[in-house]
Amino acid sequence: MTSPLALTLVGLAIILVTVGVLLKGKMHPIIAMTLIPIIGALITGFGIGDITDFYGEGLERVMGVVVMFIFAIIFFGILSDVGLFDPVITALIRATRGQVMLVTLGTAAIAIVAHLDGSGSTTFLLTIPALLPLYKAMRMSRYVLLTLVALSASVMNMIPWGGPVGRAASVIEATPNEIWAHLLPAQGIAIVLVFLVAAGFGLSEKRRISKRSLHDATATVDVNAIAEEFRRSQAEERAKFNLTPRTGTWVTAINVIVTLALIGVLVSGITSPGPAFLVGTALLLITNFATLDDQNDVLRRHAPTALSMAGVILAAAMFLGVLDGTGMLEQIALSLISVLPASVGAYIHVIVGLLGVPLDLATSTDAYYFSVLPIVQETSAAFGVSGMGAATAMIVGNVIGTFVSPFSPALWLGLGLAGANMGKYIRVAFPLCWGFSVVLVLGAFATGMMA
Protein backbone atom coordinates (compact mmCIF):
# COMPACT_ATOMS: atom_id res chain seq x y z
CA MET A 1 0.00 0.00 0.00
CA THR A 2 1.41 3.39 -0.97
CA SER A 3 2.16 5.66 2.01
CA PRO A 4 0.23 8.94 2.46
CA LEU A 5 3.50 10.88 2.14
CA ALA A 6 4.28 9.26 -1.22
CA LEU A 7 0.77 10.01 -2.49
CA THR A 8 1.10 13.63 -1.37
CA LEU A 9 4.50 14.15 -2.99
CA VAL A 10 3.63 12.40 -6.25
CA GLY A 11 0.27 14.21 -6.41
CA LEU A 12 1.97 17.58 -5.95
CA ALA A 13 4.55 16.62 -8.57
CA ILE A 14 1.80 15.74 -11.07
CA ILE A 15 0.08 19.08 -10.49
CA LEU A 16 3.25 21.18 -10.59
CA VAL A 17 4.65 19.47 -13.68
CA THR A 18 1.32 19.77 -15.49
CA VAL A 19 0.99 23.45 -14.59
CA GLY A 20 4.58 24.08 -15.63
CA VAL A 21 4.13 22.40 -18.99
CA LEU A 22 0.90 24.29 -19.67
CA LEU A 23 2.54 27.58 -18.70
CA LYS A 24 5.41 27.06 -21.10
CA GLY A 25 2.95 26.31 -23.88
CA LYS A 26 5.18 23.58 -25.27
CA MET A 27 2.62 20.81 -25.03
CA HIS A 28 -1.11 20.54 -25.77
CA PRO A 29 -3.25 20.17 -22.61
CA ILE A 30 -4.54 16.80 -23.87
CA ILE A 31 -1.00 15.37 -23.80
CA ALA A 32 -0.08 16.86 -20.42
CA MET A 33 -3.29 15.90 -18.62
CA THR A 34 -3.19 12.36 -19.99
CA LEU A 35 0.40 11.20 -19.75
CA ILE A 36 1.66 12.98 -16.61
CA PRO A 37 -0.97 11.54 -14.22
CA ILE A 38 -0.55 8.07 -15.76
CA ILE A 39 3.18 8.20 -15.03
CA GLY A 40 2.46 9.35 -11.48
CA ALA A 41 -0.02 6.53 -10.92
CA LEU A 42 2.47 3.94 -12.19
CA ILE A 43 5.21 5.34 -9.92
CA THR A 44 2.95 4.95 -6.88
CA GLY A 45 2.28 1.30 -7.69
CA PHE A 46 -1.09 1.40 -9.44
CA GLY A 47 -1.58 -0.85 -12.44
CA ILE A 48 -3.16 -0.43 -15.87
CA GLY A 49 -6.45 -1.85 -14.62
CA ASP A 50 -6.55 0.67 -11.78
CA ILE A 51 -5.81 3.55 -14.15
CA THR A 52 -8.57 2.35 -16.48
CA ASP A 53 -11.02 2.37 -13.56
CA PHE A 54 -9.86 5.84 -12.50
CA TYR A 55 -10.44 7.13 -16.02
CA GLY A 56 -13.89 5.55 -16.13
CA GLU A 57 -14.83 7.31 -12.91
CA GLY A 58 -13.46 10.59 -14.20
CA LEU A 59 -15.30 10.14 -17.48
CA GLU A 60 -18.63 9.82 -15.69
CA ARG A 61 -18.01 13.23 -14.12
CA VAL A 62 -17.25 15.07 -17.36
CA MET A 63 -19.35 13.40 -20.05
CA GLY A 64 -22.30 15.74 -19.64
CA VAL A 65 -19.98 18.72 -19.93
CA VAL A 66 -18.40 17.30 -23.10
CA VAL A 67 -21.78 16.88 -24.81
CA MET A 68 -22.79 20.40 -23.81
CA PHE A 69 -19.60 21.95 -25.18
CA ILE A 70 -19.81 20.18 -28.52
CA PHE A 71 -23.39 21.18 -29.29
CA ALA A 72 -23.25 24.63 -27.63
CA ILE A 73 -20.34 25.62 -29.87
CA ILE A 74 -22.17 24.36 -32.97
CA PHE A 75 -25.45 25.98 -31.87
CA PHE A 76 -23.99 29.46 -31.48
CA GLY A 77 -21.78 28.93 -34.52
CA ILE A 78 -24.90 28.50 -36.63
CA LEU A 79 -26.45 31.65 -35.18
CA SER A 80 -23.27 33.52 -36.07
CA ASP A 81 -23.24 32.03 -39.58
CA VAL A 82 -26.75 33.30 -40.27
CA GLY A 83 -26.08 36.71 -38.67
CA LEU A 84 -28.79 36.56 -36.00
CA PHE A 85 -26.99 39.03 -33.73
CA ASP A 86 -25.90 41.46 -36.46
CA PRO A 87 -29.09 43.60 -36.38
CA VAL A 88 -28.80 43.91 -32.59
CA ILE A 89 -25.19 45.09 -32.79
CA THR A 90 -25.99 47.44 -35.69
CA ALA A 91 -28.89 48.95 -33.72
CA LEU A 92 -26.68 49.45 -30.68
CA ILE A 93 -24.03 51.22 -32.76
CA ARG A 94 -26.69 53.59 -34.12
CA ALA A 95 -28.09 54.10 -30.61
CA THR A 96 -24.79 55.62 -29.41
CA ARG A 97 -25.45 58.65 -31.66
CA GLY A 98 -21.70 59.29 -31.60
CA GLN A 99 -21.76 60.67 -28.04
CA VAL A 100 -18.86 59.68 -25.77
CA MET A 101 -20.94 58.45 -22.83
CA LEU A 102 -23.34 56.53 -25.06
CA VAL A 103 -20.40 55.04 -26.97
CA THR A 104 -18.86 53.51 -23.82
CA LEU A 105 -22.25 52.28 -22.57
CA GLY A 106 -23.00 50.92 -26.04
CA THR A 107 -19.65 49.15 -26.12
CA ALA A 108 -20.52 47.26 -22.95
CA ALA A 109 -23.95 46.33 -24.31
CA ILE A 110 -22.56 45.17 -27.66
CA ALA A 111 -19.86 43.04 -26.00
CA ILE A 112 -22.41 41.42 -23.70
CA VAL A 113 -24.59 40.49 -26.67
CA ALA A 114 -21.58 39.36 -28.74
CA HIS A 115 -20.39 37.03 -25.98
CA LEU A 116 -23.64 35.08 -25.76
CA ASP A 117 -21.89 32.28 -27.65
CA GLY A 118 -19.18 32.06 -24.98
CA SER A 119 -16.37 32.46 -27.52
CA GLY A 120 -13.79 35.14 -26.78
CA SER A 121 -12.46 35.08 -30.33
CA THR A 122 -15.92 35.65 -31.80
CA THR A 123 -16.56 38.48 -29.35
CA PHE A 124 -13.41 40.36 -30.33
CA LEU A 125 -14.00 39.69 -34.03
CA LEU A 126 -17.50 41.16 -33.79
CA THR A 127 -16.82 44.12 -31.52
CA ILE A 128 -13.37 45.52 -32.30
CA PRO A 129 -13.73 45.94 -36.11
CA ALA A 130 -17.27 47.29 -35.62
CA LEU A 131 -16.42 49.85 -32.94
CA LEU A 132 -12.80 50.83 -33.64
CA PRO A 133 -13.78 53.27 -36.47
CA LEU A 134 -16.23 54.91 -34.06
CA TYR A 135 -13.54 55.26 -31.37
CA LYS A 136 -11.07 56.66 -33.90
CA ALA A 137 -13.60 59.18 -35.18
CA MET A 138 -14.33 60.28 -31.60
CA ARG A 139 -10.60 60.33 -30.71
CA MET A 140 -11.34 57.88 -27.90
CA SER A 141 -8.75 55.45 -26.52
CA ARG A 142 -8.57 52.02 -28.10
CA TYR A 143 -7.54 50.72 -24.67
CA VAL A 144 -10.88 51.84 -23.25
CA LEU A 145 -12.54 49.87 -26.06
CA LEU A 146 -10.45 46.76 -25.37
CA THR A 147 -10.93 46.95 -21.60
CA LEU A 148 -14.69 47.37 -21.82
CA VAL A 149 -15.03 44.50 -24.29
CA ALA A 150 -12.79 42.26 -22.15
CA LEU A 151 -14.62 43.11 -18.92
CA SER A 152 -18.07 42.62 -20.46
CA ALA A 153 -17.09 39.33 -22.07
CA SER A 154 -15.53 38.11 -18.82
CA VAL A 155 -18.74 38.76 -16.90
CA MET A 156 -20.73 36.91 -19.56
CA ASN A 157 -18.27 34.01 -19.32
CA MET A 158 -20.23 32.78 -16.29
CA ILE A 159 -22.75 31.23 -18.70
CA PRO A 160 -22.88 27.41 -18.53
CA TRP A 161 -21.41 26.91 -21.99
CA GLY A 162 -18.46 29.17 -21.13
CA GLY A 163 -15.09 27.62 -20.39
CA PRO A 164 -14.77 28.40 -16.63
CA VAL A 165 -18.16 27.00 -15.60
CA GLY A 166 -17.75 23.91 -17.78
CA ARG A 167 -14.32 23.18 -16.33
CA ALA A 168 -15.49 23.74 -12.75
CA ALA A 169 -18.49 21.46 -13.33
CA SER A 170 -16.20 18.59 -14.27
CA VAL A 171 -14.33 19.05 -10.97
CA ILE A 172 -17.10 19.43 -8.38
CA GLU A 173 -19.55 16.93 -9.89
CA ALA A 174 -22.28 19.48 -10.58
CA THR A 175 -23.86 20.31 -13.90
CA PRO A 176 -22.90 23.58 -15.60
CA ASN A 177 -26.55 24.55 -15.36
CA GLU A 178 -26.58 24.12 -11.57
CA ILE A 179 -23.46 26.25 -11.21
CA TRP A 180 -24.89 28.97 -13.48
CA ALA A 181 -28.16 29.06 -11.53
CA HIS A 182 -26.10 29.57 -8.38
CA LEU A 183 -23.99 32.28 -10.03
CA LEU A 184 -26.88 34.23 -11.58
CA PRO A 185 -27.19 36.81 -8.75
CA ALA A 186 -23.45 37.54 -8.95
CA GLN A 187 -23.61 37.74 -12.74
CA GLY A 188 -26.56 40.13 -12.57
CA ILE A 189 -24.71 42.43 -10.18
CA ALA A 190 -21.58 42.17 -12.32
CA ILE A 191 -23.48 43.30 -15.43
CA VAL A 192 -24.76 46.36 -13.55
CA LEU A 193 -21.19 47.10 -12.41
CA VAL A 194 -19.96 46.79 -16.00
CA PHE A 195 -22.29 49.60 -17.06
CA LEU A 196 -21.15 51.71 -14.10
CA VAL A 197 -17.54 51.18 -15.19
CA ALA A 198 -18.53 52.07 -18.77
CA ALA A 199 -20.15 55.29 -17.51
CA GLY A 200 -16.98 56.10 -15.58
CA PHE A 201 -14.89 55.57 -18.70
CA GLY A 202 -17.32 57.78 -20.62
CA LEU A 203 -16.86 60.65 -18.16
CA SER A 204 -13.07 60.33 -18.08
CA GLU A 205 -12.82 60.10 -21.88
CA LYS A 206 -15.08 63.13 -22.31
CA ARG A 207 -12.89 65.16 -19.95
CA ARG A 208 -9.69 63.96 -21.61
CA ILE A 209 -10.93 64.80 -25.10
CA SER A 210 -12.18 68.24 -24.09
CA LYS A 211 -9.02 69.03 -22.13
CA ARG A 212 -6.73 68.20 -25.01
CA SER A 213 -9.02 69.90 -27.53
CA LEU A 214 -8.61 66.87 -29.75
CA HIS A 215 -12.26 66.78 -30.58
CA ASP A 216 -15.49 68.37 -29.48
CA ALA A 217 -16.72 65.81 -26.96
CA THR A 218 -20.32 66.78 -27.61
CA ALA A 219 -20.09 66.44 -31.40
CA THR A 220 -21.45 63.46 -33.24
CA VAL A 221 -20.13 61.28 -36.03
CA ASP A 222 -21.90 59.35 -38.77
CA VAL A 223 -22.78 56.23 -36.81
CA ASN A 224 -25.12 55.12 -39.60
CA ALA A 225 -22.16 54.79 -41.96
CA ILE A 226 -20.20 52.85 -39.33
CA ALA A 227 -23.15 50.54 -38.67
CA GLU A 228 -23.63 49.97 -42.39
CA GLU A 229 -19.93 49.17 -42.82
CA PHE A 230 -20.20 46.58 -40.03
CA ARG A 231 -23.25 45.00 -41.70
CA ARG A 232 -21.48 44.90 -45.07
CA SER A 233 -18.24 43.39 -43.70
CA GLN A 234 -20.16 40.68 -41.86
CA ALA A 235 -22.09 39.81 -45.04
CA GLU A 236 -18.83 39.59 -47.02
CA GLU A 237 -17.29 37.34 -44.39
CA ARG A 238 -20.27 34.98 -44.43
CA ALA A 239 -20.19 34.88 -48.23
CA LYS A 240 -16.82 33.13 -47.97
CA PHE A 241 -18.48 30.11 -46.33
CA ASN A 242 -20.26 29.14 -49.60
CA LEU A 243 -23.44 28.37 -47.70
CA THR A 244 -26.97 29.02 -48.91
CA PRO A 245 -29.01 29.46 -45.74
CA ARG A 246 -32.72 30.00 -45.88
CA THR A 247 -33.79 33.61 -45.50
CA GLY A 248 -36.99 35.36 -44.53
CA THR A 249 -38.81 36.69 -41.50
CA TRP A 250 -40.10 33.26 -40.54
CA VAL A 251 -36.53 31.86 -40.39
CA THR A 252 -35.36 34.69 -38.15
CA ALA A 253 -38.44 34.28 -35.97
CA ILE A 254 -37.79 30.56 -35.48
CA ASN A 255 -34.10 31.24 -34.67
CA VAL A 256 -35.10 33.77 -32.02
CA ILE A 257 -37.77 31.48 -30.56
CA VAL A 258 -35.39 28.50 -30.39
CA THR A 259 -32.68 30.63 -28.77
CA LEU A 260 -35.01 32.16 -26.18
CA ALA A 261 -36.58 28.75 -25.48
CA LEU A 262 -33.15 27.19 -24.97
CA ILE A 263 -32.10 29.91 -22.54
CA GLY A 264 -35.41 29.47 -20.72
CA VAL A 265 -34.82 25.72 -20.44
CA LEU A 266 -31.33 26.29 -19.08
CA VAL A 267 -32.47 28.83 -16.50
CA SER A 268 -35.43 26.71 -15.36
CA GLY A 269 -33.39 23.51 -15.14
CA ILE A 270 -36.05 21.43 -16.92
CA THR A 271 -33.30 19.36 -18.50
CA SER A 272 -29.51 19.29 -18.52
CA PRO A 273 -27.62 21.47 -21.06
CA GLY A 274 -26.40 18.54 -23.19
CA PRO A 275 -29.74 17.36 -24.60
CA ALA A 276 -31.03 20.95 -24.69
CA PHE A 277 -28.22 22.05 -27.00
CA LEU A 278 -28.48 18.85 -29.04
CA VAL A 279 -32.17 19.49 -29.76
CA GLY A 280 -31.53 23.20 -30.34
CA THR A 281 -28.73 22.45 -32.82
CA ALA A 282 -30.92 20.02 -34.74
CA LEU A 283 -33.72 22.59 -34.96
CA LEU A 284 -31.35 25.32 -36.18
CA LEU A 285 -29.83 23.03 -38.80
CA ILE A 286 -33.15 22.04 -40.32
CA THR A 287 -34.53 25.59 -40.08
CA ASN A 288 -31.60 27.40 -41.67
CA PHE A 289 -30.18 24.90 -44.17
CA ALA A 290 -32.33 23.02 -46.66
CA THR A 291 -29.73 20.68 -48.13
CA LEU A 292 -27.70 17.90 -46.55
CA ASP A 293 -24.52 19.36 -48.09
CA ASP A 294 -25.02 22.69 -46.32
CA GLN A 295 -25.83 20.97 -43.05
CA ASN A 296 -22.67 18.88 -43.35
CA ASP A 297 -20.59 21.95 -44.24
CA VAL A 298 -21.80 23.81 -41.16
CA LEU A 299 -20.98 20.87 -38.90
CA ARG A 300 -17.54 20.45 -40.47
CA ARG A 301 -16.81 24.15 -40.07
CA HIS A 302 -17.47 24.19 -36.34
CA ALA A 303 -16.31 20.64 -35.52
CA PRO A 304 -12.60 21.55 -34.96
CA THR A 305 -13.45 24.10 -32.26
CA ALA A 306 -16.05 21.83 -30.65
CA LEU A 307 -13.82 18.75 -30.62
CA SER A 308 -10.78 20.69 -29.41
CA MET A 309 -12.60 21.82 -26.26
CA ALA A 310 -14.22 18.40 -25.82
CA GLY A 311 -10.81 16.73 -26.10
CA VAL A 312 -9.39 18.87 -23.30
CA ILE A 313 -12.30 17.98 -21.01
CA LEU A 314 -11.95 14.27 -21.84
CA ALA A 315 -8.25 14.45 -21.00
CA ALA A 316 -9.16 16.19 -17.75
CA ALA A 317 -11.13 13.03 -16.90
CA MET A 318 -7.82 11.16 -16.74
CA PHE A 319 -6.12 13.92 -14.75
CA LEU A 320 -8.92 14.27 -12.19
CA GLY A 321 -9.71 10.55 -12.14
CA VAL A 322 -6.15 9.58 -11.25
CA LEU A 323 -5.67 12.32 -8.64
CA ASP A 324 -8.98 11.44 -7.00
CA GLY A 325 -8.95 7.67 -7.44
CA THR A 326 -5.44 7.17 -6.09
CA GLY A 327 -6.20 9.31 -3.04
CA MET A 328 -3.58 11.91 -3.98
CA LEU A 329 -6.00 14.82 -3.78
CA GLU A 330 -7.21 13.74 -0.37
CA GLN A 331 -3.67 13.41 0.97
CA ILE A 332 -2.63 16.81 -0.43
CA ALA A 333 -5.68 18.38 1.23
CA LEU A 334 -4.97 16.63 4.54
CA SER A 335 -1.38 17.83 4.46
CA LEU A 336 -2.52 21.37 3.77
CA ILE A 337 -5.15 21.23 6.51
CA SER A 338 -2.55 20.09 9.02
CA VAL A 339 -0.50 23.26 8.55
CA LEU A 340 -3.38 25.72 8.15
CA PRO A 341 -4.89 27.38 11.23
CA ALA A 342 -8.61 26.69 11.47
CA SER A 343 -9.28 30.42 11.23
CA VAL A 344 -7.65 30.47 7.78
CA GLY A 345 -8.66 27.07 6.48
CA ALA A 346 -12.36 27.90 6.53
CA TYR A 347 -11.69 30.79 4.14
CA ILE A 348 -9.08 29.25 1.84
CA HIS A 349 -11.51 29.35 -1.11
CA VAL A 350 -12.25 33.04 -0.49
CA ILE A 351 -8.53 33.86 -0.26
CA VAL A 352 -7.81 32.10 -3.54
CA GLY A 353 -10.84 33.81 -5.09
CA LEU A 354 -9.53 37.23 -4.07
CA LEU A 355 -6.27 36.37 -5.84
CA GLY A 356 -8.11 35.02 -8.90
CA VAL A 357 -7.13 37.75 -11.37
CA PRO A 358 -3.40 37.75 -10.48
CA LEU A 359 -3.46 33.95 -10.64
CA ASP A 360 -4.90 34.20 -14.14
CA LEU A 361 -1.78 36.14 -15.17
CA ALA A 362 0.42 33.46 -13.63
CA THR A 363 -1.37 30.33 -14.81
CA SER A 364 -3.60 29.05 -17.58
CA THR A 365 -7.35 28.47 -17.34
CA ASP A 366 -6.89 24.70 -17.55
CA ALA A 367 -4.26 24.72 -14.80
CA TYR A 368 -6.39 26.95 -12.55
CA TYR A 369 -9.54 24.84 -12.72
CA PHE A 370 -8.07 21.37 -13.09
CA SER A 371 -5.14 21.76 -10.68
CA VAL A 372 -5.91 24.50 -8.16
CA LEU A 373 -9.68 24.06 -7.77
CA PRO A 374 -9.53 20.35 -6.77
CA ILE A 375 -7.08 21.13 -3.95
CA VAL A 376 -9.08 24.12 -2.74
CA GLN A 377 -12.32 22.14 -2.88
CA GLU A 378 -10.90 19.19 -0.97
CA THR A 379 -9.29 21.43 1.64
CA SER A 380 -12.25 23.72 2.21
CA ALA A 381 -14.60 20.71 2.43
CA ALA A 382 -12.87 19.74 5.69
CA PHE A 383 -14.09 23.04 7.13
CA GLY A 384 -17.67 22.54 6.01
CA VAL A 385 -17.56 24.47 2.74
CA SER A 386 -19.59 22.91 -0.09
CA GLY A 387 -18.11 22.14 -3.49
CA MET A 388 -20.47 24.75 -4.97
CA GLY A 389 -19.20 27.35 -2.49
CA ALA A 390 -15.56 26.64 -3.36
CA ALA A 391 -16.27 26.72 -7.10
CA THR A 392 -18.23 29.97 -6.76
CA ALA A 393 -15.32 31.71 -5.02
CA MET A 394 -12.84 30.60 -7.65
CA ILE A 395 -15.06 31.31 -10.68
CA VAL A 396 -16.19 34.74 -9.49
CA GLY A 397 -12.66 35.65 -8.49
CA ASN A 398 -10.97 34.42 -11.63
CA VAL A 399 -13.45 34.88 -14.48
CA ILE A 400 -13.04 38.68 -14.54
CA GLY A 401 -9.40 38.18 -15.49
CA THR A 402 -10.17 35.86 -18.41
CA PHE A 403 -9.22 38.43 -21.03
CA VAL A 404 -6.45 40.15 -19.09
CA SER A 405 -4.14 37.15 -19.06
CA PRO A 406 -1.50 36.89 -21.80
CA PHE A 407 -2.36 33.17 -21.84
CA SER A 408 -5.66 34.02 -23.58
CA PRO A 409 -5.35 33.53 -27.37
CA ALA A 410 -8.56 35.54 -27.85
CA LEU A 411 -6.95 38.54 -26.14
CA TRP A 412 -4.03 38.49 -28.57
CA LEU A 413 -6.57 38.47 -31.39
CA GLY A 414 -8.30 41.50 -29.86
CA LEU A 415 -5.00 43.35 -29.44
CA GLY A 416 -4.10 42.66 -33.06
CA LEU A 417 -7.47 43.88 -34.32
CA ALA A 418 -7.18 47.07 -32.26
CA GLY A 419 -3.48 47.64 -33.03
CA ALA A 420 -2.79 47.78 -29.29
CA ASN A 421 0.16 46.85 -27.07
CA MET A 422 -0.13 44.07 -24.47
CA GLY A 423 1.92 45.89 -21.82
CA LYS A 424 -0.09 49.11 -22.01
CA TYR A 425 -3.34 47.18 -22.11
CA ILE A 426 -2.45 45.25 -18.93
CA ARG A 427 -1.53 48.51 -17.17
CA VAL A 428 -5.01 49.83 -17.97
CA ALA A 429 -7.08 46.67 -17.53
CA PHE A 430 -5.37 44.76 -14.71
CA PRO A 431 -6.02 47.14 -11.77
CA LEU A 432 -9.61 47.68 -12.88
CA CYS A 433 -10.37 43.99 -13.40
CA TRP A 434 -8.74 42.94 -10.12
CA GLY A 435 -10.66 45.60 -8.18
CA PHE A 436 -13.86 44.55 -9.96
CA SER A 437 -13.15 40.92 -9.04
CA VAL A 438 -12.47 41.70 -5.37
CA VAL A 439 -15.79 43.57 -5.09
CA LEU A 440 -17.64 40.61 -6.62
CA VAL A 441 -15.95 38.04 -4.40
CA LEU A 442 -16.59 39.98 -1.20
CA GLY A 443 -20.18 40.61 -2.25
CA ALA A 444 -20.78 36.93 -3.03
CA PHE A 445 -19.19 35.93 0.28
CA ALA A 446 -21.30 38.43 2.24
CA THR A 447 -24.51 37.07 0.70
CA GLY A 448 -23.67 33.46 1.58
CA MET A 449 -22.97 32.23 -1.96
CA MET A 450 -19.66 30.70 -0.90
CA ALA A 451 -20.89 28.64 2.04
Side-chain angles (χ1 to χ4, degrees):
M1 183 176 176
T2 307
S3 69
L5 178 60
L7 289 174
T8 300
L9 294 176
V10 173
L12 285 172
I14 290 173
I15 292 169
L16 292 174
V17 172
T18 303
V19 170
V21 167
L22 292 177
L23 283 177
K24 287 185 176 293
K26 300 294 184 182
M27 190 181 295
H28 194 280
I30 290 177
I31 301 172
M33 289 193 292
T34 300
L35 298 183
I36 294 172
I38 287 176
I39 293 170
L42 293 173
I43 289 173
T44 49
F46 293 93
I48 300 299
D50 296 320
I51 294 172
T52 301
D53 291 339
F54 298 152
Y55 182 66
E57 292 168 4
L59 202 58
E60 289 181 10
R61 295 166 60 174
V62 306
M63 189 52 69
V65 179
V66 170
V67 174
M68 181 204 69
F69 266 123
I70 290 174
F71 290 107
I73 289 169
I74 296 173
F75 181 89
F76 285 105
I78 294 171
L79 294 181
S80 178
D81 288 344
V82 299
L84 182 68
F85 301 122
D86 288 3
V88 179
I89 295 174
T90 302
L92 287 170
I93 292 173
R94 289 194 171 102
T96 66
R97 301 201 301 273
Q99 297 179 18
V100 174
M101 178 68 77
L102 292 179
V103 168
T104 55
L105 291 171
T107 299
I110 290 169
I112 286 171
V113 172
H115 201 70
L116 279 172
D117 68 345
S119 168
S121 298
T122 301
T123 301
F124 284 113
L125 282 168
L126 282 174
T127 56
I128 303 301
L131 293 172
L132 188 59
L134 184 59
Y135 272 70
K136 286 180 177 178
M138 298 287 295
R139 301 296 192 269
M140 295 172 66
S141 171
R142 69 190 66 207
Y143 293 97
V144 169
L145 168 60
L146 274 168
T147 302
L148 281 175
V149 171
L151 187 61
S152 303
S154 296
V155 166
M156 288 303 292
N157 224 22
M158 294 186 203
I159 51 182
W161 50 91
V165 171
R167 288 173 173 87
S170 65
V171 173
I172 70 168
E173 298 186 59
T175 68
N177 213 38
E178 289 169 341
I179 297 177
W180 185 40
H182 188 74
L183 289 174
L184 270 176
Q187 189 176 31
I189 293 170
I191 290 173
V192 173
L193 291 177
V194 165
F195 284 106
L196 291 176
V197 169
F201 267 130
L203 288 172
S204 65
E205 280 295 277
K206 190 172 181 178
R207 283 197 298 266
R208 182 185 66 82
I209 293 167
S210 296
K211 184 178 179 181
R212 295 190 180 185
S213 298
L214 294 173
H215 181 73
D216 179 1
T218 62
T220 59
V221 296
D222 189 355
V223 291
N224 290 322
I226 293 172
E228 182 59 28
E229 173 59 25
F230 169 75
R231 188 201 61 75
R232 186 192 60 78
S233 65
Q234 290 300 109
E236 287 181 355
E237 189 64 29
R238 279 191 291 274
K240 298 175 184 177
F241 303 155
N242 293 319
L243 296 173
T244 53
R246 289 190 175 106
T247 57
T249 305
W250 70 273
V251 176
T252 302
I254 292 176
N255 287 337
V256 171
I257 291 169
V258 170
T259 303
L260 293 177
L262 177 61
I263 293 173
V265 167
L266 293 175
V267 172
S268 66
I270 295 174
T271 184
S272 59
F277 275 111
L278 172 59
V279 173
T281 299
L283 289 173
L284 289 187
L285 281 171
I286 197 170
T287 298
N288 292 278
F289 303 101
T291 69
L292 178 60
D293 286 342
D294 274 350
Q295 293 166 3
N296 282 332
D297 286 344
V298 168
L299 292 173
R300 278 194 292 266
R301 227 170 61 74
H302 298 291
T305 304
L307 293 179
S308 176
M309 178 59 76
V312 171
I313 301 295
L314 289 172
M318 177 65 78
F319 184 82
L320 297 171
V322 167
L323 286 176
D324 196 24
T326 57
M328 293 178 188
L329 266 184
E330 182 182 3
Q331 292 304 322
I332 292 171
L334 290 173
S335 300
L336 189 58
I337 291 166
S338 68
V339 299
L340 279 177
S343 58
V344 175
Y347 304 105
I348 184 67
H349 59 308
V350 181
I351 294 170
V352 174
L354 290 171
L355 297 173
V357 172
L359 282 173
D360 212 47
L361 266 70
T363 185
S364 68
T365 304
D366 290 324
Y368 182 83
Y369 286 101
F370 294 139
S371 298
V372 180
L373 175 55
I375 296 175
V376 171
Q377 181 204 1
E378 198 79 28
T379 304
S380 58
F383 297 93
V385 178
S386 67
M388 186 69 77
T392 297
M394 293 191 62
I395 292 171
V396 170
N398 171 264
V399 75
I400 305 304
T402 301
F403 301 112
V404 177
S405 170
F407 292 107
S408 168
L411 174 57
W412 285 103
L413 173 63
L415 289 168
L417 291 170
N421 173 270
M422 174 66 85
K424 186 173 181 180
Y425 167 73
I426 288 178
R427 286 195 296 273
V428 173
F430 176 75
L432 174 66
C433 290
W434 192 9
F436 194 103
S437 168
V438 167
V439 170
L440 273 188
V441 170
L442 294 178
F445 176 69
T447 54
M449 291 180 64
M450 297 179 183

